[in-house]
Amino acid sequence: MRIVFKGFFYMLGLGCCLTAACNSASPEAGKDTIAGEYLFQSEGDTINMALQQQKDSVFGDLKYAFSGKDRNIGKITGLLKDSLITGEYSFVSEGVTSVRQVVFRLTEQGLVEGYGEIEESNGKMVFSDIDHLSFDHGMILKKK
């Protein structure tokens, strides 16, 4: 009985040490993640994104609600490289499912979506020249 009792406390102590080590490492590991909730709101316009991250892959929910326009609700999947998320946004608007390319720049203030000329390619809307996107429209999705 004493051996079992001592073994229990040994395992409990070991578990606490491992938990403390993991918790102390978590803040450092979390510094490089962009996972979280992001929001832009202004005068009836809303963009809401809930991102998850696994290494350089990002995915999650993305919703657009602009005043006077139909809402877009869908999923984003992409890659994070050099402070840019480049991916696809699959969404439903007016009952029609569509896919378009999206690019978000990671800044100190939050995420800023890139805009530029688009064209259709293989049933998806993609940027004509991804190297010449505009990020200066002022709609910053701030992390909650």
Side-chain angles (χ1 to χ4, degrees):
M1 177 77 165
R2 279 188 173 184
I3 294 173
V4 173
F5 197 62
K6 284 181 183 180
F8 172 75
F9 280 109
Y10 175 75
M11 294 302 287
L12 182 63
L14 180 62
C16 289
C17 288
L18 289 174
T19 300
C22 288
N23 287 341
S24 66
S26 294
E28 281 300 312
K31 282 186 179 180
D32 293 334
T33 186
I34 61 166
E37 298 266 342
Y38 293 84
L39 178 67
F40 166 79
Q41 282 185 310
S42 177
E43 300 177 18
D45 296 334
T46 303
I47 304 172
N48 189 331
M49 182 165 30
L51 274 184
Q52 297 179 44
Q53 181 180 5
Q54 292 180 348
K55 297 184 182 182
D56 61 348
S57 295
V58 293
F59 54 94
D61 298 321
L62 179 56
K63 301 173 189 171
Y64 294 89
F66 292 120
S67 181
K69 296 188 177 185
D70 289 323
R71 294 176 57 168
N72 294 339
I73 300 171
K75 303 280 185 190
I76 181 173
T77 58
L79 294 174
L80 174 64
K81 183 178 179 185
D82 299 329
S83 297
L84 288 177
I85 297 172
T86 305
E88 290 186 346
Y89 174 50
S90 302
F91 63 98
V92 176
S93 180
E94 296 182 0
V96 177
T97 301
S98 301
V99 178
R100 71 175 175 90
Q101 186 177 35
V102 291
V103 176
F104 288 88
R105 176 178 285 160
L106 180 60
T107 69
E108 289 183 14
Q109 294 83 25
L111 296 174
V112 181
E113 186 170 6
Y115 290 96
E117 290 187 35
I118 58 171
E119 60 190 25
E120 185 175 348
S121 176
N122 297 321
K124 302 175 187 178
M125 299 307 290
V126 298
F127 291 111
S128 302
D129 187 354
I130 200 164
D131 294 324
H132 290 91
L133 299 180
S134 171
F135 294 92
D136 59 0
H137 49 72
M139 292 188 292
I140 301 170
L141 285 76
K142 297 187 178 185
K143 196 168 188 178
K144 290 184 184 181

